[in-house]
Amino acid sequence: LAWVCDVAELIRATPALDWRLITSKASEAGSDRMLFLGLRLAAELLGAPLPAEVRRAAFADRVVARLAQQVREQVFDEDETPTGIARGLVFNLRARRRLRDKLGYFGFVFAPTDGDLTLMRLPASLTFVYYVLRPFRLLIKGNAKH
């Protein structure tokens, strides 16, 4: 929610944003769906003023609409049940439009972190094992939060 507030306040504080440049750079980077999700939430939840063409783009994508609904449900869920790893993974994959960006996200998620490297010291010849163990560590970490 804090990120959505930041987006809304940035829009309000900077009325001369170059929206054409912003949307074209987001599209080039494969993050236009994430941009439109943030803009849609800022407009819906906090009344952030969007130019008509940007608003149309943010509200036209059906996947963005479903992701926005999911975020609203999670933010305002009184149950406060943590989101599972699988649900978060699916959400983040859907937030990416291109296959190469989805694959890149998998690479990011399953790349060993400092925590993985310090948990178990392996010789250089066995560093590939970190990639095998990473999904299991994520599952254990996710189950520990529930």
Side-chain angles (χ1 to χ4, degrees), residues 48-128:
L50 297 176
E53 65 276 4
V54 174
R55 185 177 181 84
R56 271 192 301 278
F59 282 74
D61 188 327
R62 291 182 190 164
V63 173
V64 169
R66 286 193 297 270
L67 293 172
Q69 178 64 30
Q70 198 174 336
V71 169
R72 284 191 306 274
E73 288 170 1
Q74 187 172 341
V75 167
F76 298 111
D77 182 12
E78 293 179 18
D79 183 22
E80 296 185 33
T81 304
T83 301
I85 289 176
R87 186 173 179 192
L89 186 66
V90 169
F91 179 91
N92 281 287
L93 288 172
R94 291 181 70 210
R96 288 155 175 79
R97 191 179 305 275
R98 301 182 305 206
L99 178 61
R100 75 175 186 205
D101 298 323
K102 292 174 192 262
L103 294 174
Y105 176 70
F106 270 116
F108 168 75
V109 169
F110 293 116
T113 64
D114 289 342
D116 297 316
L117 301 176
T118 56
L119 182 67
M120 181 188 322
R121 299 257 183 225
L122 295 173
S125 61
L126 295 177
T127 54
F128 71 92

